[in-house]
Amino acid sequence: MRIRHLAAGLAAVATLSACARAVMTRVPRGIAPVEGFQAERYMGRWYEIARLDHRFERGMTDVTAEYRLEPDGTVQVVNSGLRGGQRRSAHATARFRGDPSVASLAVTFFPGFPGGYHVFALDEDYRWALVSGPDRGYLWILARRPEIEPGLYRQLVGIARDRGFPVDRLIRVRHDDAPAP
């Protein structure tokens, strides 16, 4: 009898875990990941220009993300930033949720807990990107340089606003190696 209860409990945990993974990696309604995505061109260093606040990045400056495509098609991710004067980094593995020509990935920083990473706007020369998580509470504006022109920033914020993101809550990320505005 106990084995049956244990098996039922484990099955329930597995089901809940699968449901949580599906929720945390989903694409928000009305957001379309970029198609024709070329992962090789996306690889390398990106600077975080602005973000919606989250506990895991709270108070961080000089935030960057490094992406490296592996032979098996996964992407190695290293996010880093300064908090309290110390550089902190987090390593993850990302997997495409389907066809790699669609910019929709599941990124796992902690085993069993993937998060959605969906590029929904991308410069044709891969100089800037707008990235969503599993819902509109997650938004990142990324660029290949630590600063972008004010007009481009307003344009990207406008795209995010039009897609329903709470852009009034965006936090601009300071980069010490960026020229003064």
Side-chain angles (χ1 to χ4, degrees):
M1 191 67 119
R2 287 182 186 215
I3 292 176
R4 211 176 297 168
H5 289 296
L6 177 62
L10 290 174
V13 167
T15 300
L16 288 173
S17 178
C19 289
R21 277 194 299 276
V23 167
M24 289 308 296
T25 62
R26 73 175 175 223
V27 180
R29 186 181 312 258
I31 299 296
V34 168
E35 294 186 14
F37 183 71
Q38 297 173 14
E40 314 77 38
R41 293 182 68 196
Y42 197 80
M43 297 302 108
R45 176 174 285 186
W46 288 86
Y47 292 87
E48 189 175 274
I49 303 301
R51 67 172 179 262
L52 291 177
D53 192 28
H54 287 283
R55 179 184 50 79
F56 53 88
E57 284 186 289
R58 190 157 293 139
M60 290 188 109
T61 63
D62 293 287
V63 180
T64 61
E66 297 270 350
Y67 303 101
R68 186 180 74 234
L69 188 61
E70 297 295 333
D72 66 359
T74 61
V75 177
Q76 292 305 307
V77 180
V78 179
N79 288 347
S80 68
L82 288 177
R83 180 183 290 141
Q86 292 200 314
R87 176 132 323 257
R88 300 176 190 267
S89 61
H91 298 258
T93 300
R95 290 176 171 71
F96 285 93
R97 294 179 67 239
D99 187 330
S101 70
V102 177
S104 182
L105 298 100
V107 181
T108 304
F109 284 94
F110 305 102
F113 297 99
Y117 184 98
H118 315 289
V119 180
F120 66 93
L122 179 63
D123 177 64
E124 65 183 26
D125 293 323
Y126 288 63
R127 292 177 298 198
W128 55 259
L130 289 174
V131 179
S132 172
D135 61 45
R136 284 179 177 75
Y138 296 88
L139 174 66
W140 293 271
I141 298 176
L142 305 178
R144 292 296 190 172
R145 298 178 156 266
E147 287 288 328
I148 61 175
E149 296 293 322
L152 175 58
Y153 180 77
R154 284 190 300 276
Q155 176 187 353
L156 298 178
V157 169
I159 292 168
R161 179 184 300 108
D162 291 347
R163 301 275 177 31
F165 289 89
V167 297
D168 57 315
R169 295 187 357 227
L170 277 171
I171 296 169
R172 288 292 300 258
V173 179
R174 190 184 88 237
H175 290 276
D176 289 335
D177 58 349

